[in-house]
Short mmCIF file of all heavy atoms in Angstrom, two decimals:
data_model
loop_
_atom_site.label_atom_id
_atom_site.label_comp_id
_atom_site.label_asym_id
_atom_site.label_seq_id
_atom_site.Cartn_x
_atom_site.Cartn_y
_atom_site.Cartn_z
N MET A 7 51.84 150.59 139.38
CA MET A 7 52.85 149.59 139.15
C MET A 7 53.98 150.24 138.37
O MET A 7 53.73 150.90 137.35
CB MET A 7 52.22 148.43 138.37
CG MET A 7 53.19 147.39 137.90
SD MET A 7 52.45 146.07 136.88
CE MET A 7 51.62 145.13 138.11
N THR A 10 58.95 148.88 135.12
CA THR A 10 59.75 147.64 135.06
C THR A 10 58.89 146.43 135.40
O THR A 10 59.06 145.36 134.80
CB THR A 10 60.96 147.69 136.00
OG1 THR A 10 60.53 148.07 137.30
CG2 THR A 10 62.00 148.68 135.47
N THR A 29 62.30 156.92 129.65
CA THR A 29 62.32 157.58 130.94
C THR A 29 62.89 158.98 130.85
O THR A 29 63.67 159.28 129.94
CB THR A 29 63.14 156.74 131.96
OG1 THR A 29 63.10 157.38 133.25
CG2 THR A 29 64.60 156.60 131.52
N LYS A 51 63.72 160.06 127.23
CA LYS A 51 62.52 160.52 126.50
C LYS A 51 62.82 161.63 125.49
O LYS A 51 62.03 161.87 124.59
CB LYS A 51 61.41 160.93 127.47
CG LYS A 51 61.61 162.25 128.15
CD LYS A 51 60.39 162.58 128.99
CE LYS A 51 60.44 164.02 129.44
NZ LYS A 51 59.21 164.39 130.12
N GLY A 76 72.61 156.73 124.81
CA GLY A 76 72.87 158.01 125.43
C GLY A 76 73.53 157.94 126.81
O GLY A 76 73.70 158.92 127.46
N SER A 80 78.35 154.24 131.53
CA SER A 80 77.59 154.36 132.76
C SER A 80 77.94 153.29 133.78
O SER A 80 77.53 153.37 134.92
CB SER A 80 76.09 154.29 132.46
OG SER A 80 75.77 153.02 131.98
N PHE A 86 71.04 144.33 127.40
CA PHE A 86 69.69 143.99 127.02
C PHE A 86 69.73 142.77 126.13
O PHE A 86 70.65 142.57 125.35
CB PHE A 86 69.03 145.17 126.28
CG PHE A 86 68.73 146.32 127.20
CD1 PHE A 86 69.52 147.45 127.18
CD2 PHE A 86 67.66 146.27 128.06
CE1 PHE A 86 69.26 148.51 128.03
CE2 PHE A 86 67.39 147.32 128.93
CZ PHE A 86 68.18 148.44 128.90
N GLY A 132 51.44 128.55 166.48
CA GLY A 132 52.14 127.85 167.54
C GLY A 132 53.63 127.68 167.24
O GLY A 132 54.23 126.65 167.54
N ILE A 133 54.20 128.71 166.65
CA ILE A 133 55.64 128.68 166.30
C ILE A 133 56.28 129.96 166.81
O ILE A 133 55.58 130.87 167.27
CB ILE A 133 55.84 128.54 164.77
CG1 ILE A 133 55.15 129.70 164.02
CG2 ILE A 133 55.33 127.17 164.27
CD1 ILE A 133 55.34 129.68 162.52
N ALA A 139 59.47 134.62 160.57
CA ALA A 139 60.39 135.41 159.74
C ALA A 139 61.06 134.52 158.69
O ALA A 139 61.28 134.95 157.55
CB ALA A 139 61.42 136.11 160.61
N ARG A 164 47.96 135.40 141.35
CA ARG A 164 47.99 133.99 140.97
C ARG A 164 46.89 133.19 141.66
O ARG A 164 46.85 131.96 141.54
CB ARG A 164 49.36 133.38 141.31
CG ARG A 164 50.47 134.00 140.49
CD ARG A 164 51.79 133.43 140.93
NE ARG A 164 52.85 133.99 140.11
CZ ARG A 164 54.15 133.88 140.39
NH1 ARG A 164 54.52 133.21 141.44
NH2 ARG A 164 55.03 134.43 139.59
N GLU A 166 46.58 132.44 144.78
CA GLU A 166 47.16 131.47 145.68
C GLU A 166 46.84 131.77 147.14
O GLU A 166 47.10 130.94 148.01
CB GLU A 166 48.67 131.40 145.49
CG GLU A 166 49.04 130.83 144.15
CD GLU A 166 50.53 130.63 143.98
OE1 GLU A 166 51.24 130.56 144.99
OE2 GLU A 166 50.97 130.53 142.84
#
Side-chain angles (χ1 to χ4, degrees):
M7 172 184 285
T10 52
T29 183
K51 76 176 192 174
S80 65
F86 289 104
I133 58 178
R164 294 177 179 168
E166 293 185 20

